[in-house]
Amino acid sequence: MVGNVLDFLWLVPGLPLLGVLLNGAIALFCERPLLLAEAGPLGSSTHGTSPPVDKGHGGSHGAHHDAPPAYRKFVSLIGPGVIGGAFVVALLSVMALAARSAHDRVFVQVLFPWIQAGSFSAPAALQLDPLSAVMILVVTGVGFLIHVYSVGYMSHEKAFARYFVYLNLFSFAMLVLVLGSNYLLMFIGWEGVGLCSYLLIGFWYEKQSASDAGKKAFIVNRIGDFGFILGTFLLFWTFGTVNYTEVFSKIPALSSSGVLTTGIATAITLLFFVGATGKSAQIPLYVWLPDAMEGPTPVSALIHAATMVTAGVYMVARSSALFMLAPVSMGVVAAVGAATAIFSATIGITQTDIKRVLAYSTVSQLGYMFLACGVGAFTAGIFHLMTHAFFKALLFLGSGSVIHALSGEQDMRKMGNLRKHLPITFTTMFVATLAIAGIPGLAGFFSKDEILWQAFSSRHGHIALWTVGALAAGITAFYMFRLVFMTFFGKSRMDQHVEKHVHESPFSMTVPLMILAVLSVAGGWIGIPAVLGGANHFEHWLAPVFHAPAAETAAPAVHHSAALEYGLMGLSVAIALCGIGLAYYLYSVRTEKPDKVAKAVPGLYDVVLNKYYVDEIYDFVFVRRIVNGSVWLWQAFDAAFIDGMVNGIAAAVRKAGDGVRRLQTGVVGNYAFSLLLGAVLIVGYALTR
């Protein structure tokens, strides 16, 4: 029975692909003709006169449909249905895997031969182990809730079928990424989610900012992807294979023989990490993620919670055996993660767009995950990845519910007192905010505390890393509760016309919020540490995947008392509570204070408000230089040299033709003379031989 269930593992990515094909056919043959007919003969008359706005209920693309086309019902069923089916298969497969003994929890399903060249083989194969099991449950489970939410949120979107094509394709690519049995398949999924991010972020491509954001995400990720592919080439050159099981099994022998040196391991892992900084938005390649808010809000939830941004963390965790051989790489991962966590957290303090606050929060929380991986706590990093998926998806979908109610408004300065209008949205978002702040008992507390403890106590940890992580946690608690107080408390700052129409979202949107709220509370209970009386089932589940090399296990362990762990745990919670208290004081009690503080330090405030001018610096140092260089190359090389050479040859041929043409006079006497002259020359040549 177990074997029979696992034999259907291919359905996990296969069902979303089926959704792509079915919805793609509907989009092409049903939806597109209607949109073309509505747009008019030249595509410019009636499709709307203004760029779309993320209103979530369809106002973005003009007037609502009087009666939605019949095909939309099928799309509403197919889009979420295939992801729900994939989740069921994934759940059954994971249960079947769990029924095996701990040392036998690796199942490889070869779909078909893919690349075969001599001794090199890279089959199209899926690998289910404890790590990929966690990932597919997160991707399909959270992804299903986002798909269901999208049915209501995008209900009046004219390109409804196209939207679900992209959403299903995104899920398919992410599942290929986490289920692939080798680095090449991972790279295929890696590029797939990059393509889908471009399509979804720029979904409303008529809007210039959305189009630019999609291109920015695509280009920045290509920079990181270049590092990843170089690392894959170096990995193949060293190991002769790219299959996970073969690479990791060869590490001991190649290390002892001197083929795999610390330098080579460092080079491979640093190149891999370059790819991770792009996909998971770490310094210096984080700049695309805040701009990704231009896409529909469910897309933001999918990118930030369940799919794309977690890919880099997964890749580093999957390659843990390699990273543990490269202490320099581990230090770089930890340092970049810690720096990103506190850097982006400070930016979140000043943002007024509700989605951008959450975007910088995502960048910060991803920094936490890399901090965990950098100190060797890969289990803690994946644990936080899972809990973060629950409360961050809830926060984004909750913000979408707010935006939906306010007809597209995203500025928190124009909100206030929404808790009485949106009770379900408020309650669920409040739970998620408590979770991300690390309040004891909720999911975020257990994963965050484990990261902070490992950052302090691990062999690769340091008190400086703990300090940065604890400060980032306090800042996170501050700006997240700032969001709650500005949005749901205080006096209303809404437009009177908008306020009259504020209402709670439909069940298709609120039910996913409630389910995610439950997961934001209980999702961390499977990882309760021993010091709190738990068995930490999550750590035991992932233990077979994250095995340290012999040199690591032979090193003396670092022991700390339980009292110290309790003390640091209490201190981090106290820091978070201070952040919450400060947010309450500034944005609920003394609401005039924030403006006074901003005016007191205008220079510092403007720097943080403008995101430390990183985008402007990148534009000046890199973008303009590349653009200007491209223009120069076009003018000097393409236009002057290439075009000059081609045009010169053409001119020479034309002149030669003009010369030869003069021989064609039309006078018979000239032709007779030419024949005679030719005959004389031939005879003369023959006589001289």
Side-chain angles (χ1 to χ4, degrees):
M1 178 66 183
V2 170
N4 291 337
V5 173
L6 290 174
D7 287 341
F8 291 96
L9 180 64
W10 62 272
L11 284 173
V12 176
L15 285 172
L17 181 60
L18 177 63
V20 173
L21 298 175
L22 294 176
N23 285 329
I26 294 173
L28 185 61
F29 298 109
C30 298
E31 184 175 84
R32 187 170 180 270
L34 290 179
L35 294 178
L36 291 176
E38 183 177 312
L42 298 178
S44 60
S45 59
T46 60
H47 188 59
T49 58
S50 60
V53 180
D54 185 9
K55 295 186 178 182
H57 60 290
S60 60
H61 276 237
H64 293 180
H65 294 283
D66 295 331
Y71 69 80
R72 295 169 71 93
K73 295 181 180 179
F74 292 101
V75 175
S76 300
L77 293 174
I78 295 170
V82 294
I83 305 298
F87 172 71
V88 172
V89 177
L91 182 61
L92 293 174
S93 299
V94 173
M95 293 172 61
L97 189 73
R100 296 184 169 190
S101 59
H103 67 275
D104 191 35
R105 287 176 181 163
V106 179
F107 174 76
V108 178
Q109 183 179 49
V110 179
L111 302 178
F112 55 85
W114 183 30
I115 301 176
Q116 185 73 48
S119 61
F120 173 74
S121 175
L126 307 179
Q127 177 172 315
L128 184 66
D129 61 12
L131 178 57
S132 57
V134 173
M135 296 301 298
I136 62 173
L137 289 178
V138 170
V139 173
T140 57
V142 177
F144 171 67
L145 296 175
I146 294 172
H147 277 69
V148 172
Y149 180 95
S150 294
V151 172
Y153 193 86
M154 304 291 285
S155 60
H156 294 283
E157 170 61 45
K158 293 184 177 182
F160 189 71
R162 176 167 66 90
Y163 171 80
F164 275 99
V165 170
Y166 295 165
L167 219 60
N168 288 162
L169 185 61
F170 205 169
S171 301
F172 166 74
M174 189 65 191
L175 289 168
V176 170
L177 191 156
V178 300
L179 276 175
S181 67
N182 56 70
Y183 284 98
L184 283 185
L185 269 180
M186 180 192 286
F187 188 74
I188 294 297
W190 192 273
E191 292 299 296
V193 295
L195 170 64
C196 292
S197 69
Y198 167 75
L199 296 173
L200 285 167
I201 295 170
F203 180 77
W204 289 315
Y205 55 84
E206 302 97 331
K207 186 180 178 183
Q208 185 65 43
S209 59
S211 177
D212 291 343
K215 289 184 289 185
K216 185 176 183 178
F218 189 83
I219 294 170
V220 172
N221 272 276
R222 297 293 73 72
I223 298 172
D225 296 351
F226 185 65
F228 185 20
I229 197 68
L230 287 179
T232 304
F233 287 145
L234 184 55
L235 180 87
F236 169 69
W237 179 78
T238 305
F239 290 88
T241 181
V242 292
N243 297 319
Y244 299 147
T245 54
E246 296 177 8
V247 168
F248 302 145
S249 64
K250 288 184 177 182
I251 287 178
L254 293 180
S255 297
S256 59
S257 65
V259 175
L260 179 60
T261 63
T262 301
I264 293 176
T266 301
I268 293 173
T269 50
L270 284 179
L271 287 170
F272 278 175
F273 185 58
V274 170
T277 60
K279 201 65 73 185
S280 294
Q282 297 295 285
I283 293 173
L285 300 180
Y286 72 93
V287 292
W288 69 270
L289 192 58
D291 289 357
M293 299 301 98
E294 292 292 341
T297 299
V299 171
S300 303
L302 192 62
I303 291 176
H304 286 245
T307 56
M308 185 170 170
V309 296
T310 63
V313 180
Y314 168 77
M315 184 261 285
V316 172
R318 173 61 72 188
S319 309
S320 60
L322 291 170
F323 276 88
M324 295 298 284
L325 296 172
V328 172
S329 298
M330 295 284 286
V332 171
V333 172
V336 171
T340 304
I342 195 164
F343 177 79
S344 54
T346 59
I347 298 176
I349 294 174
T350 60
Q351 301 303 303
T352 56
D353 185 304
I354 188 171
K355 288 176 66 177
R356 284 191 175 268
V357 174
L358 297 178
Y360 282 104
S361 168
T362 298
V363 178
S364 181
Q365 296 302 305
L366 288 167
Y368 264 103
M369 300 173 203
F370 281 108
L371 170 60
C373 293
V375 300
F378 298 100
T379 298
I382 297 299
F383 187 26
H384 197 60
L385 182 154
M386 182 189 73
T387 60
H388 175 262
F390 300 149
F391 55 72
K392 184 51 60 70
L394 174 53
L395 287 168
F396 267 109
L397 297 184
S399 71
S401 182
V402 171
I403 296 168
H404 169 91
L406 300 184
S407 301
E409 183 58 68
Q410 297 181 194
D411 193 335
M412 296 186 297
R413 295 171 297 182
K414 300 179 181 179
M415 300 179 186
N417 200 31
L418 280 173
R419 68 184 189 277
K420 69 176 184 180
H421 300 288
L422 310 173
I424 298 176
T425 300
F426 162 68
T427 304
T428 53
M429 282 193 72
F430 189 74
V431 170
T433 306
L434 291 172
I436 196 173
I439 300 303
L442 283 81
F445 165 76
F446 297 108
S447 57
K448 183 206 71 172
D449 178 72
E450 185 65 21
I451 292 174
L452 290 178
W453 173 243
Q454 292 293 337
F456 177 85
S457 64
S458 166
R459 186 177 298 113
H460 302 280
H462 194 276
I463 189 172
L465 295 174
W466 181 92
T467 302
V468 173
L471 288 175
I475 297 172
T476 298
F478 170 76
Y479 69 71
M480 287 304 306
F481 271 88
R482 168 180 176 265
L483 181 152
V484 169
F485 291 131
M486 290 184 69
T487 304
F488 296 104
F489 290 86
K491 64 179 182 180
S492 174
R493 299 177 299 277
M494 295 178 283
D495 181 88
Q496 292 184 355
H497 178 72
V498 173
E499 190 170 7
K500 290 179 181 179
H501 300 281
V502 174
H503 60 280
E504 186 62 90
S505 300
F507 283 128
S508 62
M509 295 170 63
T510 55
V511 170
L513 297 182
M514 291 184 283
I515 295 173
L516 287 169
V518 173
L519 293 173
S520 298
V521 175
W525 296 353
I526 61 173
I528 300 176
V531 72
L532 294 178
N536 206 338
H537 298 291
F538 195 80
E539 182 178 6
H540 294 313
W541 171 255
L542 290 177
V545 180
F546 301 132
H547 50 277
E552 181 73 13
T553 55
V558 181
H559 298 285
H560 297 281
S561 66
L564 178 61
E565 186 170 356
Y566 280 126
L568 292 177
M569 187 185 301
L571 182 57
S572 65
V573 172
I575 293 173
L577 291 175
C578 288
I580 296 172
L582 183 60
Y584 174 74
Y585 176 74
L586 293 177
Y587 294 96
S588 186
V589 179
R590 299 293 299 276
T591 55
E592 79 284 356
K593 280 285 187 179
D595 289 335
K596 291 182 178 180
V597 173
K599 292 177 181 178
V601 286
L604 177 61
Y605 179 80
D606 288 341
V607 168
V608 179
L609 179 64
N610 290 283
K611 302 159 287 186
Y612 298 97
Y613 297 101
V614 172
D615 284 284
E616 288 79 5
I617 294 171
Y618 282 5
D619 182 70
F620 178 78
V621 176
F622 299 109
V623 178
R624 292 186 189 179
R625 300 294 180 269
I626 293 173
V627 171
N628 293 337
S630 299
V631 171
W632 180 85
L633 285 173
W634 162 62
Q635 293 175 338
F637 185 74
D638 186 61
F641 180 71
I642 301 296
D643 288 354
M645 184 174 62
V646 173
N647 294 336
I649 294 173
V653 171
R654 184 171 61 251
K655 290 181 180 180
D658 290 340
V660 174
R661 185 178 62 189
R662 293 174 182 175
L663 299 176
Q664 305 296 322
T665 62
V667 181
V668 177
N670 291 342
Y671 297 153
F673 176 76
S674 298
L675 290 173
L676 178 62
L677 181 61
V680 170
L681 292 174
I682 293 172
V683 172
Y685 176 75
L687 292 176
T688 57
R689 288 180 61 90

